[in-house]
């Protein structure tokens, strides 16, 4: 059962929406290889141009840190200036209830 999560708030630079969506698809393929990431979801906020959220869950703090320091996390850092404005906001969450 997930105990930890991340919520990542993303705003694409104008005209970069298709690049952001391709980037998120690539991120999903990287995250599928992470045994400690229980779930990973990327979505576009309806009615808000270029606004995205990523939500992922983990059993342990170590798994969450491995994700942040892994290939997907590093690519987010590397692409932040190219694709997003403002910079992505990453919030660490503790799960308090779930289905």
């Amino acid at each position: 059962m997930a105990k930890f999560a991340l919520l990542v708030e993303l705003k694409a630079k104008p005209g970069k929406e298709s690049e952001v969506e391709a980037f998120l698809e690539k991120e999903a393929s990287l995250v599928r290889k992470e045994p400690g990431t229980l779930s990973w979801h990327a979505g576009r906020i309806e009615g808000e141009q270029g606004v995205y959220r990523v939500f992922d869950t983990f059993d342990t703090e170590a798994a969450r840190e491995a994700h942040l320091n892994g290939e997907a996390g590093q690519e987010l850092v590397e692409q932040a200036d190219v694709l997003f404005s403002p910079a992505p906001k990453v919030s660490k969450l503790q799960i308090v209830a779930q289905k």
Side-chain angles (χ1 to χ4, degrees):
M1 186 174 290
K3 296 179 183 171
F4 302 93
L6 292 170
L7 177 63
V8 182
E9 300 174 50
L10 306 166
K11 172 77 170 132
K13 286 184 174 182
K16 297 280 187 178
E17 294 83 4
S18 62
E19 290 178 55
V20 167
E21 292 182 22
F23 171 78
L24 292 171
E25 283 289 337
K26 183 179 181 209
E27 292 291 283
S29 70
L30 296 174
V31 172
R32 286 184 192 103
K33 300 174 192 173
E34 297 177 354
T37 302
L38 300 177
S39 64
W40 187 94
H41 306 274
R44 181 178 55 239
I45 305 291
E46 293 182 17
E48 294 186 39
Q49 183 69 28
V51 179
Y52 300 85
R53 297 292 184 271
V54 176
F55 180 77
D56 32 4
T57 61
F58 312 88
D59 279 334
T60 66
E61 174 63 25
R64 180 168 67 183
E65 288 303 313
H67 171 72
L68 286 169
N69 295 309
E71 192 173 358
Q74 293 307 306
E75 283 197 2
L76 177 63
V77 171
E78 291 168 6
Q79 292 298 311
D81 289 342
V82 175
L83 297 174
F84 307 108
S85 183
K89 179 182 177 189
V90 179
S91 298
K92 291 181 176 181
L93 309 174
Q94 289 187 348
I95 304 294
V96 297
Q98 62 186 298
K99 177 181 173 186

